[in-house]
Amino acid sequence: MAANYTPMVQQYLEVKRQHQDELLFFRLGDFYEMFFDDALTASRELNITLTGRAAGLEERIPMCGVPYHSVDGYIAKLIKKGYRIAICEQVEDPKLAKGIVERKVIKIITPGTALNEQLLDDKHNRFLVFLQQDGARLCLVAADISTGECQWFTGEGSEMLSAVQEQLFRIQPAEAVVYSGIEGWEKLEAWLKAKLPECAISFYQEENENAGYFEQHFADSEYGGDALVHSAAEHMLRYLHSTVKADLTHINRLTRIAVEKFMNLDATAIRNLELVKNMRDGTKRGTLLDVLDFTVTSMGARKLRSWIECPLLDLAQINARQQAVKELLENLQLRTGLAEEMKKVFDLERIISRIEVGSANARDLVALRSSLAVLPGIKEILNNASSRLLAHLASGIHLHQEIYDTLAAAIVDEPPFSVREGGMIRTGFDLELDELHSIASDNKTWMQNFEQRIKEETGIKTLKVGYNKVFGYYIEVSKGQSASVPDYFVRKQTLVNAERYIVPELKDFENKILSAKEKIEQLEYYIFNNLREQIRAKIPEIQETARALANIDVLASLAEAAFKYNYIKPELNNRSEIRILDGRHPVVERLLERDIFVPNDTNLNSTDERMIIITGPNMAGKSTYMRQVALLTLMTQMGSFIPARQASICPVDKIFTRVGASDDLATGQSTFMVEMNEVAQILKYATRNSLIILDEVGRGTSTFDGMSIARAVMEYIHEKIKAKTLFATHYHQLIELENIMEGVKNYSVAVKERGNDIVFLRRIVRGGSDKSYGVHVARLAGLPKKVLERANEFLKEYDSEGPKQAQPAQTQDSGMMGSLFGSALQQRLANMDVMSMTPIEAMNTLYKLQEEAKREGGAL
């Protein structure tokens, strides 16, 4: 049947056979066309008109298309929806083609390899990750082709999946490419779809030949000769080369994600502390990143995010950052001078990437030139810096004088968008190009001179030399003068009142003029590619400059935040002590418009105040206070100054948070199940050097169950883990632990009572609270007055009957231990696997048990 199609459709089908998994954008003239099922999909997803095309058979085939000059927007929409796109271009000049124009796929665009400006977030990396397992080890290799960054990590043993999941959540990849044979893939796939729903999942098909890409890209990288890392990186590079179809020489550094050098923040902590995304709508607003971000370059913004997610453990490195921030804070001229110059720096990392993969235009070269122009000024400003880190970063800035000089001489100030239409190379850069421009621009002068000469030679004073797009150049003579025309004039067109002629000299000029424009476009494109090759040879040096500038930008951003918000430099200690005087929550204090944030002290150590129990009503500020301690510790370890009057903080290896609760509908887990899973993770991975934040553990179940679990968790942390812990609870009975366990101290949120009203003072004070003020909080929330009055009546009843309520119900059969169930129901209940039930299954089972209990009791 395919043989009956037109040659063009046959060509399309041949290309499509090799790209079944992609939507094929097939170039026809000024449009990218899609046919058959691809056309149906594209018209639906892009909301564009579906038409038909004659293809050699009786029925027209489905077709839709988009203009080539606006294709990026359409591609961005499809990529966001998870589609892969193959771009099929005309690869020969239609004028020279014998028969149908040759076409081939020049690149495949996937969510992880897209360089489309409409998809890239200036302040966020766009990673592709490759996952490959070998035995009890799972390797992750992550690459951002828009910046050239490449990292690797391996999880091992029984914890390999959870370790890799933590890195995936931090990296937030746009695409995960999976090598077959991962144990527990179904579980990992479900996790990816639940936690990273925008991450596209691809599967890798191994090619037999060894392409040697690893040695080509990472010849100097240190990876310890690890065969799994080598194999995973090689496969990832093969995948990138097969899709991007470029040399990718900017991907030239493979670095290890050294988890032992950074504070460990699992997915729960990153989410609960709202470091880079808030929990309301997933945006940056109301996050630590939002507060600290005074960066003036895209590179710096991405680096700041990385610093927040990976706080340091090494005291010397933290101190080096602090000293740099201190100098920038105290030296206004240094800080403002750097900011002014850095504002002129474009996104060097992504410009370099576009130059490498062939998608850069002359405007990118202008942006590169503008960026290089300010480097001498930045280096000069940093010459006066005394901190070692700033001096070191200054040494990493190369001036790239040769590239700058070439670009200054070569590229005009405002080049056109396209590199195929000329107009981007300066006059004086290339003699041949200048000559062609002279021919193209001086045609009017030539025509005037030619016309004057022909008039003199022929004696026909009224003849005119003209041009139109249909007939080209011509000599026009009126009908009355046509008898005077010389023999070498060749008639070209007859008009009502005139005749038009051509002569060999004018024809030669016409050919020269018309070919000059085409030659200009070809020569300018050739010159542009030569410039691109010169820049490509210097990519590693430019990348080093970009990294130095990004780090300087982050340090200046932290100094600016410290200046604007009155932050102080926290002391570092190795005494396992967190001591903060008048600490403030960095985010909440910025969101307060009228109120003044109430500061609080913190004292945590490994001896007499290792675990702090915080009691007090809801809405009083317990959660804010605990998050505040975690954030100030994290800020200290990333090298930032902090909102406090004074502080001495030791590095912690991990921060764990159990804050808030919600059903995990994606996996069918109840609030309580989610809570218990998070607590289990903390008890499994926390060490004596960790900081643990626990908020209302056990509230997802009955009072006595919850209180029992909370106490058991506290005892386990106290006896086994010995980590510094902040524990907020409504179970006032737990305050007695201060008298039982060494190192446990009670604190509460100060509350001022005024009759039936209360005022939250937001102060954390020594001593426990034995009141929850639930009805008072309900009044503040606006519950109706009658409901509140009735609640107070019940509260008085329960308070008076409290001791009786605490007694277990007596039954006739003492052997049943006070159970409300008969022996058959008791046996069924004992045999249930409650932890594996979904919430809806548990409700159905409970309903059936209730029905049986009623029957046995005679109620039904």
Side-chain angles (χ1 to χ4, degrees):
M1 184 174 176
N4 296 325
Y5 284 123
T6 61
M8 188 281 293
V9 176
Q10 288 184 42
Q11 184 189 46
Y12 169 85
L13 290 171
E14 180 61 34
V15 176
K16 181 63 184 174
R17 265 193 290 274
Q18 300 167 39
H19 296 279
Q20 298 291 332
D21 298 331
E22 289 89 34
L23 292 177
L24 183 61
F25 276 48
F26 195 75
R27 182 72 176 266
L28 286 177
D30 289 341
F31 278 79
Y32 286 104
E33 305 287 6
M34 286 144 278
F35 302 106
F36 300 103
D37 288 346
D38 283 5
L40 299 174
T41 300
S43 67
R44 180 185 70 246
E45 296 289 10
L46 297 174
N47 194 26
I48 57 178
T49 304
L50 180 70
T51 61
R53 182 186 178 98
L57 301 181
E58 189 172 327
E59 289 187 6
R60 291 160 66 85
I61 62 172
M63 180 183 86
C64 69
V66 297
Y68 84 96
H69 56 79
S70 59
V71 71
D72 284 352
Y74 295 105
I75 289 174
K77 285 183 182 178
L78 292 170
I79 292 294
K80 284 177 182 175
K81 292 172 182 277
Y83 288 99
R84 298 162 58 91
I85 296 166
I87 304 294
C88 185
E89 289 284 6
Q90 298 172 178
V91 293
E92 70 172 330
D93 189 335
K95 298 173 188 172
L96 305 176
K98 295 179 180 177
I100 194 161
V101 177
E102 184 184 353
R103 294 178 176 87
K104 70 177 181 181
V105 170
I106 60 159
K107 62 183 171 184
I108 298 168
I109 304 171
T110 72
T113 61
L115 289 169
N116 189 320
E117 289 295 310
Q118 296 181 42
L119 285 169
L120 294 176
D121 180 346
D122 286 347
K123 299 191 172 187
H124 194 281
N125 284 94
R126 191 175 183 88
F127 278 105
L128 174 144
V129 298
F130 191 93
L131 299 171
Q132 181 174 336
Q133 183 179 349
D134 181 16
R137 299 174 70 226
L138 179 59
C139 183
L140 173 155
V141 182
D144 180 350
I145 68 163
S146 75
T147 65
E149 295 167 73
C150 195
Q151 308 167 325
W152 66 271
F153 172 80
T154 56
E156 301 186 8
S158 59
E159 309 302 328
M160 66 178 185
L161 268 185
S162 59
V164 167
Q165 283 171 351
E166 282 185 16
Q167 296 305 320
L168 286 169
F169 191 84
R170 182 183 62 80
I171 290 168
Q172 298 277 309
E175 180 178 1
V177 183
V178 182
Y179 192 86
S180 60
I182 292 181
E183 289 176 27
W185 164 245
E186 294 78 12
K187 180 181 176 183
L188 180 56
E189 183 179 33
W191 182 90
L192 280 167
K193 288 178 178 177
K195 302 295 184 184
L196 302 173
E198 294 182 0
C199 175
I201 300 172
S202 308
F203 294 93
Y204 178 74
Q205 300 295 323
E206 184 176 9
E207 300 166 12
N208 292 325
E209 72 276 5
N210 182 2
Y213 286 129
F214 188 96
E215 286 70 27
Q216 180 181 324
H217 286 265
F218 304 133
D220 300 325
S221 296
E222 295 181 11
Y223 68 103
D226 191 316
L228 177 58
V229 175
H230 186 287
S231 178
E234 172 71 23
H235 288 138
M236 182 206 66
L237 289 168
R238 284 192 209 173
Y239 179 83
L240 292 179
H241 277 268
S242 67
T243 52
V244 184
K245 298 185 186 297
D247 289 344
L248 302 174
T249 56
H250 66 300
I251 301 177
N252 49 42
R253 287 174 85 238
L254 180 64
T255 57
R256 183 172 73 91
I257 299 173
V259 290
E260 73 282 358
K261 293 183 180 179
F262 303 107
M263 178 199 291
N264 182 275
L265 293 164
D266 62 11
T268 305
I270 291 173
R271 183 184 70 245
N272 286 342
L273 293 176
E274 296 186 296
L275 298 180
V276 295
K277 288 182 179 179
N278 68 48
M279 288 195 281
R280 296 177 301 285
D281 57 12
T283 64
K284 176 185 167 186
R285 176 171 166 71
T287 65
L288 182 63
L289 176 62
D290 191 25
V291 170
L292 296 180
D293 191 2
F294 288 94
T295 56
V296 294
T297 70
S298 300
M299 301 174 293
R302 294 192 295 269
K303 181 63 71 175
L304 174 61
R305 184 187 179 110
S306 171
W307 280 27
I308 290 173
E309 292 177 333
C310 298
L312 300 169
L313 293 180
D314 184 73
L315 286 173
Q317 287 182 286
I318 298 169
N319 186 59
R321 287 184 182 177
Q322 284 187 339
Q323 293 304 323
V325 173
K326 180 174 184 287
E327 181 175 9
L328 287 163
L329 171 62
E330 294 174 350
N331 190 332
L332 177 63
Q333 191 174 356
L334 176 63
R335 188 173 77 250
T336 56
L338 276 175
E340 284 304 310
E341 290 301 301
M342 295 277 280
K343 282 177 185 175
K344 303 169 189 172
V345 176
F346 290 81
D347 196 338
L348 288 177
E349 290 176 328
R350 287 187 167 160
I351 290 172
I352 288 300
S353 299
R354 290 195 292 274
I355 288 171
E356 167 55 35
V357 301
S359 63
N361 59 27
R363 294 180 185 179
D364 287 314
L365 299 193
V366 170
L368 175 59
R369 181 178 70 198
S370 300
S371 303
L372 299 184
V374 301
L375 297 184
I378 293 173
K379 285 203 76 146
E380 187 175 345
I381 292 170
L382 288 169
N383 280 340
N384 301 318
S386 58
S387 67
R388 281 187 299 168
L389 181 54
L390 284 177
H392 171 72
L393 292 172
S395 69
I397 298 174
H398 306 284
L399 297 183
H400 315 287
Q401 194 63 47
E402 186 180 344
I403 291 176
Y404 172 76
D405 291 342
T406 303
L407 292 177
I411 306 294
V412 298
D413 291 336
E414 295 183 8
F417 180 80
S418 172
V419 296
R420 297 280 190 176
E421 296 174 6
M424 56 186 170
I425 305 300
R426 282 191 194 277
T427 301
F429 184 74
D430 184 273
L431 290 176
E432 183 181 354
L433 183 63
D434 290 349
E435 192 176 317
L436 288 168
H437 275 300
S438 177
I439 292 170
S441 61
D442 291 349
N443 61 334
K444 286 185 179 179
T445 304
W446 187 92
M447 284 173 62
Q448 288 171 353
N449 293 336
F450 176 75
E451 182 179 293
Q452 186 61 37
R453 183 158 47 85
I454 291 294
K455 283 180 179 179
E456 292 172 358
E457 287 179 5
T458 61
I460 305 172
K461 303 299 182 185
T462 57
L463 69 75
K464 294 185 296 184
V465 177
Y467 170 82
N468 68 33
K469 290 183 179 180
V470 178
F471 293 101
Y473 288 91
Y474 57 81
I475 301 169
E476 185 174 296
V477 180
S478 64
K479 289 272 189 177
Q481 296 288 323
S482 59
S484 304
V485 168
D487 293 342
Y488 65 90
F489 275 38
V490 178
R491 183 181 284 108
K492 194 170 187 178
Q493 184 185 13
T494 300
L495 303 177
V496 176
N497 296 317
E499 297 282 351
R500 287 179 175 173
Y501 302 89
I502 189 77
V503 296
E505 186 180 359
L506 189 58
K507 187 67 179 173
D508 290 344
F509 177 74
E510 177 182 277
N511 292 336
K512 196 172 184 181
I513 288 292
L514 294 179
S515 66
K517 187 174 185 302
E518 187 176 339
K519 285 179 181 177
I520 285 170
E521 292 168 1
Q522 291 173 349
L523 185 53
E524 287 210 12
Y525 185 63
Y526 173 79
I527 293 169
F528 174 82
N529 278 330
N530 280 345
L531 293 171
R532 175 174 162 261
E533 289 303 311
Q534 289 178 46
I535 296 166
R536 284 184 66 212
K538 301 293 183 180
I539 280 178
E541 276 186 21
I542 300 174
Q543 287 175 319
E544 189 178 345
T545 297
R547 286 191 292 270
L549 292 171
N551 283 305
I552 292 166
D553 195 11
V554 175
L555 292 168
S557 177
L558 296 180
E560 187 66 22
F563 171 73
K564 283 186 177 294
Y565 304 146
N566 193 29
Y567 290 176
I568 58 100
K569 175 177 168 290
E571 293 178 6
L572 300 167
N573 72 70
N574 54 11
R575 302 185 302 274
S576 191
E577 179 181 77
I578 297 175
R579 186 169 175 274
I580 302 168
L581 298 181
D582 288 343
R584 314 186 305 274
H585 192 296
V587 180
V588 174
E589 76 165 349
R590 301 269 58 82
L591 298 176
L592 295 177
E593 293 180 359
R594 298 177 187 170
D595 300 335
I596 296 173
F597 188 89
V598 178
N600 276 297
D601 297 346
T602 303
N603 191 20
L604 280 166
N605 55 46
S606 58
T607 54
D608 62 324
E609 290 201 38
R610 198 169 73 218
M611 179 178 287
I612 291 177
I613 299 174
I614 307 169
T615 47
N618 280 331
M619 296 171 58
K622 299 192 302 294
S623 297
T624 297
Y625 172 71
M626 294 196 299
R627 284 189 176 101
Q628 168 184 312
V629 175
L631 287 173
L632 298 191
T633 303
L634 184 149
M635 288 170 70
T636 297
Q637 289 184 233
M638 62 175 280
S640 174
F641 283 25
I642 64 171
R645 180 162 58 89
Q646 190 179 337
S648 179
I649 295 176
C650 67
V652 300
D653 62 355
K654 304 177 176 91
I655 292 180
F656 291 100
T657 61
R658 157 89 284 284
V659 180
S662 60
D663 288 0
D664 190 344
L665 299 178
T667 55
Q669 292 185 338
S670 68
T671 299
F672 182 62
M673 188 63 173
V674 172
E675 180 182 342
M676 289 299 100
N677 277 337
E678 291 180 1
V679 172
Q681 291 294 102
I682 292 171
L683 300 183
K684 189 172 186 180
Y685 296 113
T687 73
R688 67 183 299 120
N689 296 318
S690 300
L691 175 62
I692 300 175
I693 307 295
L694 293 170
D695 191 6
E696 305 293 357
V697 167
R699 68 177 170 184
T701 185
S702 68
T703 301
F704 293 121
D705 273 359
M707 189 165 61
S708 302
I709 291 169
R711 177 160 179 169
V713 167
M714 291 173 72
E715 287 184 356
Y716 187 89
I717 292 172
H718 182 270
E719 300 300 326
K720 300 285 187 184
I721 302 174
K722 304 182 187 301
K724 287 177 279 296
T725 306
L726 294 170
F727 194 103
T729 183
H730 271 102
Y731 301 133
H732 305 119
Q733 298 87 340
L734 296 177
I735 64 178
E736 69 183 43
L737 293 179
E738 178 178 292
N739 303 318
I740 300 171
M741 297 193 297
E742 188 180 349
V744 175
K745 291 288 186 290
N746 288 322
Y747 284 81
S748 59
V749 185
V751 174
K752 189 172 185 177
E753 295 188 53
R754 293 175 180 167
N756 286 331
D757 292 326
I758 58 170
V759 177
F760 298 136
L761 302 180
R762 311 289 182 192
R763 291 291 292 182
I764 304 296
V765 296
R766 187 76 173 83
S769 169
D770 59 359
K771 297 179 74 173
S772 63
Y773 300 96
V775 177
H776 296 78
V777 174
R779 180 177 288 107
L780 291 174
L783 261 65
K785 186 177 180 182
K786 286 191 175 182
V787 173
L788 295 169
E789 289 171 353
R790 189 65 174 141
N792 270 318
E793 290 174 17
F794 285 132
L795 184 60
K796 289 172 184 175
E797 277 184 44
Y798 292 146
D799 282 344
S800 63
E801 297 175 5
K804 298 175 186 176
Q805 296 287 355
Q807 299 298 319
Q810 297 297 315
T811 64
Q812 292 178 343
D813 183 0
S814 61
M816 290 176 66
M817 299 175 67
S819 171
L820 296 176
F821 301 105
S823 58
L825 288 178
Q826 187 180 24
Q827 187 63 37
R828 284 186 59 193
L829 191 60
N831 290 336
M832 280 181 191
D833 185 4
V834 177
M835 297 304 278
S836 66
M837 287 183 177
T838 65
I840 196 69
E841 288 171 345
M843 289 291 290
N844 288 334
T845 304
L846 183 60
Y847 178 80
K848 290 175 184 175
L849 288 171
Q850 185 187 50
E851 293 291 295
E852 290 186 36
K854 285 180 179 178
R855 285 194 195 94
E856 289 189 12
L860 287 178

